[in-house]
Amino acid sequence: MPEIIFYRTLPLEVEKTFYSLVEKSIEKGLISVAIFNHEEKLDIINDFLWTNKQDSFLPHIKRSDEILTDFSIPLYLTTEEENPYNAEILFCIDGYIPKKIDSWERLIFIADPNDNVLLEKYSDFYETIKKDFKKIIFYKKTENGKWAEDNFMG
């Protein structure tokens, strides 16, 4: 049964939070997929991953890169529900709701506190799954920049 984690960032920190969580996943040797509802958001994240830090980047490819490889890619960006590199972690940051929850070891949903439409969509998803999945965790970033466990869905 997968672990499901919801993160509520400070305003305008979704991309930075995503970057940080993916970076930690890579350090642990885990493979991730980020599935997007919209190609535009995928492209914004792709650019962010290349340019966020001057001295490094997060290794990744996006579906349209069409790179055929036998080696493991630590992060794959797509708008399709697919897992070509046998990733353990699924990231959703623009409202994508997976159809096959059990295909992943961990699902991570990240939302900006000012995005009421996205928070409502994630809240509806939470209400749908909470009786079947016991390992659901919520983190809310506090004003002092620390993560606190807090069920912000109510």
Side-chain angles (χ1 to χ4, degrees), residues 92-107:
C92 301
I93 65 172
D94 76 338
Y96 184 82
I97 302 295
K99 293 161 191 62
K100 299 177 183 175
I101 297 172
D102 287 325
S103 299
W104 310 93
E105 291 178 26
R106 182 178 297 156
L107 292 90

Side-chain angles (χ1 to χ4, degrees), residues 131-143:
K131 65 181 174 293
D132 296 323
F133 293 89
K134 300 304 176 209
K135 196 161 188 179
I136 302 175
I137 304 166
F138 300 87
Y139 289 106
K140 179 179 175 183
K141 199 160 198 183
T142 62
E143 292 302 320

Side-chain angles (χ1 to χ4, degrees), residues 15-127:
E15 290 84 0
K16 287 170 37 175
T17 300
F18 174 68
Y19 189 99
S20 174
L21 292 171
V22 170
E23 196 171 43
K24 289 176 183 172
S25 298
I26 291 172
E27 288 170 3
K28 293 178 181 176
L30 300 172
I31 300 171
S32 301
V33 170
I35 302 178
F36 299 87
N37 275 330
H38 307 285
E39 191 75 35
E40 298 80 21
K41 185 65 174 182
L42 184 153
D43 289 336
I44 290 168
I45 293 297
N46 183 57
D47 292 343
F48 184 80
L49 295 174
W50 284 108
T51 61
N52 182 48
K53 292 187 178 179
Q54 294 279 10
D55 59 345
S56 67
F57 72 99
L58 286 180
H60 68 282
I61 63 170
K62 59 182 185 172
R63 184 172 208 263
S64 61
D65 290 338
E66 296 182 18
I67 295 175
L68 300 175
T69 179
D70 290 336
F71 64 90
S72 178
I73 301 295
L75 176 61
Y76 180 70
L77 309 177
T78 184
T79 56
E80 303 292 326
E81 188 156 328
E82 59 184 340
N83 189 2
Y85 298 100
N86 298 313
E88 297 93 352
I89 301 173
L90 171 62
F91 284 93
C92 301
I93 65 172
D94 76 338
Y96 184 82
I97 302 295
K99 293 161 191 62
K100 299 177 183 175
I101 297 172
D102 287 325
S103 299
W104 310 93
E105 291 178 26
R106 182 178 297 156
L107 292 90
I108 298 176
F109 299 88
I110 305 171
D112 184 298
N114 294 328
D115 190 337
N116 293 327
V117 172
L118 184 59
L119 286 170
E120 185 175 328
K121 187 171 187 176
Y122 286 163
S123 179
D124 291 346
F125 175 64
Y126 167 66
E127 290 298 325

